[in-house]
Short mmCIF file of all heavy atoms in Angstrom, two decimals:
data_model
loop_
_atom_site.label_atom_id
_atom_site.label_comp_id
_atom_site.label_asym_id
_atom_site.label_seq_id
_atom_site.Cartn_x
_atom_site.Cartn_y
_atom_site.Cartn_z
N ALA G 1 23.16 9.38 -9.11
CA ALA G 1 22.56 10.11 -10.23
C ALA G 1 21.30 9.45 -10.72
O ALA G 1 20.34 10.12 -11.10
CB ALA G 1 23.59 10.23 -11.37
N ALA G 2 21.28 8.11 -10.73
CA ALA G 2 20.12 7.39 -11.26
C ALA G 2 18.92 7.47 -10.34
O ALA G 2 17.81 7.12 -10.73
CB ALA G 2 20.49 5.94 -11.53
N GLY G 3 19.11 7.92 -9.10
CA GLY G 3 18.04 7.90 -8.13
C GLY G 3 17.30 9.21 -7.98
O GLY G 3 16.56 9.38 -7.01
N PHE G 4 17.44 10.15 -8.92
CA PHE G 4 16.78 11.44 -8.73
C PHE G 4 15.27 11.30 -8.70
O PHE G 4 14.58 12.00 -7.94
CB PHE G 4 17.22 12.45 -9.81
CG PHE G 4 16.62 12.25 -11.17
CD1 PHE G 4 15.39 12.79 -11.51
CD2 PHE G 4 17.30 11.52 -12.15
CE1 PHE G 4 14.84 12.62 -12.76
CE2 PHE G 4 16.75 11.32 -13.41
CZ PHE G 4 15.52 11.89 -13.72
N ALA G 5 14.71 10.39 -9.50
CA ALA G 5 13.26 10.21 -9.51
C ALA G 5 12.77 9.67 -8.18
O ALA G 5 11.72 10.08 -7.68
CB ALA G 5 12.86 9.28 -10.65
N ARG G 6 13.53 8.76 -7.59
CA ARG G 6 13.14 8.22 -6.28
C ARG G 6 13.19 9.31 -5.22
O ARG G 6 12.27 9.44 -4.40
CB ARG G 6 14.09 7.07 -5.89
CG ARG G 6 13.88 6.57 -4.46
CD ARG G 6 14.86 5.46 -4.11
NE ARG G 6 16.24 5.83 -4.40
CZ ARG G 6 16.99 6.62 -3.62
NH1 ARG G 6 16.47 7.14 -2.52
NH2 ARG G 6 18.23 6.89 -3.95
N ARG G 7 14.25 10.12 -5.22
CA ARG G 7 14.35 11.20 -4.24
C ARG G 7 13.23 12.22 -4.43
O ARG G 7 12.65 12.71 -3.44
CB ARG G 7 15.71 11.88 -4.35
CG ARG G 7 16.88 10.99 -3.96
CD ARG G 7 18.18 11.76 -3.84
NE ARG G 7 18.57 12.39 -5.10
CZ ARG G 7 19.30 11.79 -6.03
NH1 ARG G 7 19.69 10.53 -5.86
NH2 ARG G 7 19.64 12.42 -7.15
N ASP G 8 12.91 12.54 -5.68
CA ASP G 8 11.82 13.48 -5.93
C ASP G 8 10.49 12.91 -5.47
O ASP G 8 9.63 13.65 -4.97
CB ASP G 8 11.77 13.83 -7.42
CG ASP G 8 12.80 14.86 -7.81
OD1 ASP G 8 13.44 15.43 -6.91
OD2 ASP G 8 12.97 15.11 -9.02
N ARG G 9 10.30 11.62 -5.65
CA ARG G 9 9.06 10.97 -5.21
C ARG G 9 8.94 11.06 -3.68
O ARG G 9 7.88 11.42 -3.15
CB ARG G 9 9.06 9.52 -5.67
CG ARG G 9 7.77 8.76 -5.41
CD ARG G 9 7.88 7.33 -5.89
NE ARG G 9 8.34 7.26 -7.28
CZ ARG G 9 9.50 6.71 -7.67
NH1 ARG G 9 10.33 6.19 -6.79
NH2 ARG G 9 9.85 6.69 -8.94
N GLU G 10 10.02 10.76 -2.98
CA GLU G 10 10.00 10.81 -1.52
C GLU G 10 9.75 12.23 -1.03
O GLU G 10 8.96 12.45 -0.09
CB GLU G 10 11.32 10.28 -0.97
CG GLU G 10 11.55 8.79 -1.23
CD GLU G 10 12.95 8.35 -0.88
OE1 GLU G 10 13.79 9.22 -0.54
OE2 GLU G 10 13.22 7.13 -0.95
N ALA G 11 10.39 13.21 -1.66
CA ALA G 11 10.21 14.61 -1.24
C ALA G 11 8.78 15.07 -1.46
O ALA G 11 8.19 15.75 -0.61
CB ALA G 11 11.18 15.51 -2.00
N ALA G 12 8.19 14.69 -2.61
CA ALA G 12 6.82 15.11 -2.91
C ALA G 12 5.82 14.51 -1.93
O ALA G 12 4.90 15.20 -1.47
CB ALA G 12 6.45 14.71 -4.34
N VAL G 13 5.99 13.23 -1.59
CA VAL G 13 5.08 12.59 -0.64
C VAL G 13 5.20 13.24 0.74
O VAL G 13 4.20 13.59 1.38
CB VAL G 13 5.37 11.08 -0.56
CG1 VAL G 13 4.62 10.45 0.62
CG2 VAL G 13 4.97 10.40 -1.86
N ASN G 14 6.44 13.44 1.18
CA ASN G 14 6.65 14.06 2.50
C ASN G 14 6.08 15.47 2.55
O ASN G 14 5.39 15.85 3.51
CB ASN G 14 8.14 14.09 2.84
CG ASN G 14 8.71 12.71 3.12
OD1 ASN G 14 7.99 11.80 3.52
ND2 ASN G 14 10.00 12.55 2.91
N PHE G 15 6.34 16.25 1.51
CA PHE G 15 5.88 17.63 1.51
C PHE G 15 4.36 17.68 1.39
O PHE G 15 3.70 18.45 2.10
CB PHE G 15 6.52 18.39 0.34
CG PHE G 15 6.22 19.87 0.36
CD1 PHE G 15 7.05 20.74 1.03
CD2 PHE G 15 5.11 20.39 -0.30
CE1 PHE G 15 6.78 22.10 1.06
CE2 PHE G 15 4.83 21.73 -0.28
CZ PHE G 15 5.67 22.60 0.41
N GLY G 16 3.81 16.88 0.51
CA GLY G 16 2.36 16.88 0.31
C GLY G 16 1.61 16.50 1.58
O GLY G 16 0.60 17.12 1.92
N GLU G 17 2.09 15.48 2.27
CA GLU G 17 1.42 15.06 3.50
C GLU G 17 1.55 16.11 4.59
O GLU G 17 0.59 16.38 5.33
CB GLU G 17 1.98 13.72 3.95
CG GLU G 17 1.62 12.58 2.99
CD GLU G 17 2.14 11.22 3.43
OE1 GLU G 17 2.94 11.18 4.39
OE2 GLU G 17 1.75 10.21 2.81
N ALA G 18 2.72 16.74 4.69
CA ALA G 18 2.91 17.78 5.69
C ALA G 18 2.04 19.00 5.36
O ALA G 18 1.46 19.63 6.26
CB ALA G 18 4.37 18.18 5.76
N ALA G 19 1.92 19.34 4.07
CA ALA G 19 1.09 20.47 3.67
C ALA G 19 -0.38 20.19 3.97
O ALA G 19 -1.11 21.05 4.47
CB ALA G 19 1.28 20.76 2.18
N ARG G 20 -0.83 18.99 3.68
CA ARG G 20 -2.21 18.60 3.98
C ARG G 20 -2.49 18.69 5.48
O ARG G 20 -3.50 19.27 5.90
CB ARG G 20 -2.45 17.18 3.48
CG ARG G 20 -3.83 16.62 3.79
CD ARG G 20 -3.82 15.11 3.64
NE ARG G 20 -2.86 14.49 4.57
CZ ARG G 20 -2.30 13.29 4.37
NH1 ARG G 20 -2.58 12.59 3.29
NH2 ARG G 20 -1.45 12.81 5.27
N ASP G 21 -1.58 18.16 6.28
CA ASP G 21 -1.78 18.16 7.72
C ASP G 21 -1.73 19.56 8.31
O ASP G 21 -2.36 19.83 9.34
CB ASP G 21 -0.72 17.28 8.39
CG ASP G 21 -0.86 15.80 8.02
OD1 ASP G 21 -1.93 15.42 7.50
OD2 ASP G 21 0.11 15.05 8.23
N ALA G 22 -0.99 20.47 7.66
CA ALA G 22 -0.89 21.85 8.14
C ALA G 22 -2.04 22.72 7.66
O ALA G 22 -2.13 23.89 8.03
CB ALA G 22 0.44 22.46 7.68
N GLY G 23 -2.93 22.17 6.83
CA GLY G 23 -4.06 22.94 6.34
C GLY G 23 -3.73 23.87 5.19
O GLY G 23 -4.47 24.83 4.93
N VAL G 24 -2.65 23.58 4.46
CA VAL G 24 -2.30 24.38 3.29
C VAL G 24 -3.39 24.21 2.23
O VAL G 24 -3.77 23.08 1.90
CB VAL G 24 -0.93 23.97 2.72
CG1 VAL G 24 -0.64 24.69 1.40
CG2 VAL G 24 0.17 24.27 3.73
N GLU G 25 -3.91 25.31 1.72
CA GLU G 25 -5.00 25.26 0.76
C GLU G 25 -4.53 25.07 -0.67
O GLU G 25 -5.23 24.48 -1.49
CB GLU G 25 -5.82 26.55 0.85
CG GLU G 25 -6.46 26.78 2.21
CD GLU G 25 -7.11 28.14 2.32
OE1 GLU G 25 -7.06 28.90 1.33
OE2 GLU G 25 -7.64 28.46 3.41
N ARG G 26 -3.32 25.58 -0.96
CA ARG G 26 -2.88 25.55 -2.34
C ARG G 26 -1.36 25.39 -2.40
O ARG G 26 -0.62 26.08 -1.71
CB ARG G 26 -3.32 26.85 -3.02
CG ARG G 26 -2.53 27.28 -4.21
CD ARG G 26 -3.13 28.51 -4.86
NE ARG G 26 -3.46 29.56 -3.91
CZ ARG G 26 -4.10 30.68 -4.25
NH1 ARG G 26 -4.49 30.86 -5.48
NH2 ARG G 26 -4.35 31.60 -3.34
N VAL G 27 -0.92 24.46 -3.23
CA VAL G 27 0.50 24.31 -3.55
C VAL G 27 0.67 24.66 -5.02
O VAL G 27 -0.07 24.18 -5.88
CB VAL G 27 0.98 22.86 -3.29
CG1 VAL G 27 2.40 22.67 -3.83
CG2 VAL G 27 0.94 22.54 -1.80
N ILE G 28 1.62 25.53 -5.32
CA ILE G 28 1.91 25.93 -6.69
C ILE G 28 3.20 25.24 -7.11
O ILE G 28 4.24 25.42 -6.49
CB ILE G 28 2.04 27.46 -6.80
CG1 ILE G 28 0.75 28.14 -6.31
CG2 ILE G 28 2.35 27.88 -8.24
CD1 ILE G 28 0.88 29.63 -6.10
N TYR G 29 3.10 24.43 -8.16
CA TYR G 29 4.20 23.56 -8.56
C TYR G 29 4.60 23.85 -10.00
O TYR G 29 3.76 23.95 -10.89
CB TYR G 29 3.76 22.10 -8.43
CG TYR G 29 4.66 21.10 -9.10
CD1 TYR G 29 6.00 20.98 -8.74
CD2 TYR G 29 4.17 20.25 -10.10
CE1 TYR G 29 6.82 20.05 -9.35
CE2 TYR G 29 4.99 19.32 -10.71
CZ TYR G 29 6.32 19.22 -10.34
OH TYR G 29 7.13 18.31 -10.95
N LEU G 30 5.91 23.99 -10.22
CA LEU G 30 6.44 24.21 -11.57
C LEU G 30 7.00 22.91 -12.10
O LEU G 30 7.99 22.39 -11.60
CB LEU G 30 7.53 25.28 -11.55
CG LEU G 30 8.21 25.56 -12.90
CD1 LEU G 30 7.20 26.08 -13.92
CD2 LEU G 30 9.36 26.55 -12.73
N GLY G 31 6.33 22.36 -13.12
CA GLY G 31 6.79 21.14 -13.77
C GLY G 31 7.22 21.41 -15.20
O GLY G 31 7.48 22.55 -15.58
N GLY G 32 7.29 20.35 -16.01
CA GLY G 32 7.80 20.49 -17.36
C GLY G 32 6.78 20.16 -18.42
O GLY G 32 5.94 19.28 -18.25
N LEU G 33 6.86 20.88 -19.55
CA LEU G 33 6.05 20.57 -20.72
C LEU G 33 6.61 19.36 -21.44
O LEU G 33 7.81 19.11 -21.41
CB LEU G 33 6.04 21.76 -21.68
CG LEU G 33 5.05 22.90 -21.45
CD1 LEU G 33 5.30 24.00 -22.46
CD2 LEU G 33 3.62 22.41 -21.56
N GLY G 34 5.75 18.65 -22.14
CA GLY G 34 6.24 17.56 -22.98
C GLY G 34 5.61 16.23 -22.62
O GLY G 34 4.96 16.07 -21.58
N ASP G 35 5.81 15.26 -23.50
CA ASP G 35 5.28 13.90 -23.35
C ASP G 35 6.18 13.13 -22.40
O ASP G 35 7.31 12.77 -22.75
CB ASP G 35 5.22 13.22 -24.72
CG ASP G 35 4.71 11.78 -24.63
OD1 ASP G 35 4.28 11.37 -23.54
OD2 ASP G 35 4.75 11.10 -25.66
#
């Protein structure tokens, strides 16, 4: 349970690099409001 941030970090890096290499022009991401 405590590792969700680490897993999200790994997923974002993997996905972002794969998207860049595939020539994806735009990624639409839903995040959260707040400080």
Side-chain angles (χ1 to χ4, degrees):
F4 75 86
R6 172 182 51 79
R7 294 190 299 272
D8 280 351
R9 186 180 308 115
E10 293 171 354
V13 169
N14 290 335
F15 187 90
E17 292 181 351
R20 177 197 60 204
D21 294 344
V24 173
E25 298 173 1
R26 156 175 48 185
V27 171
I28 302 168
Y29 167 60
L30 178 62
L33 275 176
D35 178 7

